[in-house]
Amino acid sequence: MAIPDYESLMFPVLRQLADGRERRVSELVSELAQVLHISEVDLGVMLPSGGATTFGSRVAWAKTYLKQAGLVEQPRRGIVRIAARARQVLDSGVEQIDNQFLERYPEFLAFRKRSRVMSTEPSPGGLAGQQALSVSAPVQAPHERLDEAAKELAATLADEILASIKTCSPAFFEDLVVQLLLRMGYGGSRREAGRAVGRTGDGGIDGVIAEDRLGLDSIYVQAKRWQGAVGEPDIRNFLGALVGRGASKWVFITTSSFSEPARAFAARSLQQKIVLIDGDRLAELMIEHDLGVSTVATYQVKRIDSDFFSDD
């Protein structure tokens, strides 16, 4: 059979995971190829970038969308299993799942909002795959579709980054934020200009960055993998540790979010400069500064050089 699009693969993915067993994504791809009778020729079809097979890429997209809707879980990197919520879906007798079906879940709608895709779905096999336009969506120009696809890919990558961080140790996370600030140019990007501190008795300080190359001023860092929104009392408590060290600049980084009172309190602080970075912004900065990510494909968009064809 021809290679199914990623929406057509959503239900087969869920059905294959119904036994509750954890699988590697590569194992899931192999099993589905046999169940769906994908030929060896079709299995060998590569994306235009050459970075992955089309079938494997589409299975991965189906898995990603199911995960965004809370139907699939990834307890560890590269491992996938069915989520409790999906049991109800399978027991209901549903035999087809697509993006419209997934929109009944708030988590999926939140993901769509983050990716800001208003008129096109991501191409299941990369940018050269099939596009699925919503009925009411206006037809976009090719460069607009590329831009929207890039936004969707970035949103998906950001979610994967945060999920991976949450499975790592607190010490790893503390070192990660120090690396990020160094990548951003603080301390002149010198590795020795930053260090993770986090230990018993550190007063809540998890890292210190020398803001300038001479070390005349320091930035103190808190890095917390928080559950729920960080509130104003939490900011006040950490501010006490900051004042106790005579520090004037502080960055609080969390994998979750900050409440509005917490943000307002940080903005009112006059003696100490407090910068709050939530999970979404953390992932954006890691992508922007190539920390924990790698480039798998690059597409060049070219236009005609009018001057070349001028007779003047």
Side-chain angles (χ1 to χ4, degrees):
M1 65 178 294
I3 302 175
D5 62 63
Y6 77 105
E7 284 186 286
S8 298
L9 286 166
M10 290 180 182
F11 181 73
V13 166
L14 208 58
R15 183 175 55 192
Q16 194 65 24
L17 295 173
D19 60 8
R21 185 168 63 87
E22 293 185 356
R23 291 170 169 82
R24 293 188 177 277
V25 175
S26 58
E27 183 181 359
L28 177 62
V29 171
S30 178
E31 291 179 4
L32 285 172
Q34 294 184 27
V35 170
L36 299 175
H37 305 292
I38 306 298
S39 70
E40 290 296 327
V41 173
D42 286 336
L43 284 176
V45 175
M46 304 293 291
L47 297 177
S49 64
T53 65
T54 298
F55 180 71
S57 175
R58 292 181 181 181
V59 171
W61 269 111
K63 177 269 301 178
T64 294
Y65 269 41
L66 291 169
K67 177 177 177 290
Q68 296 298 338
L71 299 178
V72 163
E73 298 174 340
Q74 285 192 265
R76 301 182 302 281
R77 180 174 177 81
I79 302 297
V80 62
R81 70 185 178 197
I82 193 170
R85 172 183 287 178
R87 299 291 183 187
Q88 300 175 351
V89 174
L90 294 176
D91 291 344
S92 70
V94 168
E95 295 185 355
Q96 181 177 352
I97 300 175
D98 55 19
N99 289 328
Q100 184 175 2
F101 179 92
L102 297 182
E103 286 176 355
R104 66 182 62 187
Y105 300 106
E107 299 92 334
F108 184 75
L109 291 175
F111 165 70
R112 297 297 298 275
K113 182 178 180 181
R114 289 196 301 276
S115 60
R116 301 187 300 277
V117 177
M118 303 303 295
S119 59
T120 62
E121 302 297 342
S123 57
L127 297 178
Q130 303 172 15
Q131 290 287 347
L133 296 176
S134 64
V135 175
S136 60
V139 177
Q140 292 180 309
H143 72 277
E144 293 173 329
R145 295 200 300 271
L146 282 170
D147 184 60
E148 296 296 347
K151 291 176 183 177
E152 180 109 17
L153 288 166
T156 302
L157 177 58
D159 285 341
E160 292 178 349
I161 288 173
L162 290 178
S164 296
I165 290 175
K166 292 173 183 177
T167 65
C168 298
S169 68
F172 179 91
F173 183 44
E174 292 162 6
D175 184 63
L176 181 152
V177 298
V178 170
Q179 290 187 57
L180 176 59
L181 291 173
L182 291 174
R183 288 282 183 98
M184 294 172 66
Y186 293 98
S189 297
R190 294 175 298 120
R191 176 168 292 276
E192 66 273 16
R195 68 183 189 279
V197 175
R199 59 179 181 271
T200 302
D202 63 8
I205 305 299
D206 295 314
V208 181
I209 301 288
E211 184 177 15
D212 55 81
R213 296 186 66 85
L214 296 178
L216 297 176
D217 204 354
S218 296
I219 300 173
Y220 288 81
V221 182
Q222 271 84 32
K224 303 300 178 186
R225 298 183 302 174
W226 218 266
Q227 295 294 328
V230 179
E232 180 181 348
D234 304 305
I235 302 298
R236 288 182 179 275
N237 290 338
F238 284 120
L239 180 60
L242 186 71
V243 173
R245 288 175 175 263
S248 61
K249 298 178 181 179
W250 175 37
V251 178
F252 191 117
I253 301 178
T254 180
T255 54
S256 60
S257 60
F258 296 96
S259 68
E260 286 305 317
R263 291 188 179 278
F265 178 80
R268 291 195 304 269
S269 179
L270 300 178
Q271 298 300 319
Q272 287 78 29
K273 176 63 177 178
I274 303 175
V275 175
L276 305 182
I277 299 178
D278 61 16
D280 290 342
R281 182 57 177 155
L282 170 62
E284 289 177 4
L285 289 171
M286 289 181 64
I287 294 171
E288 179 182 346
H289 295 280
D290 292 322
L291 181 62
V293 300
S294 59
T295 300
V296 296
T298 301
Y299 297 88
Q300 291 186 338
V301 179
K302 299 183 180 182
R303 64 180 179 183
I304 194 167
D305 183 351
S306 300
D307 292 337
F308 177 82
F309 294 97
S310 174
D311 289 334
D312 298 336

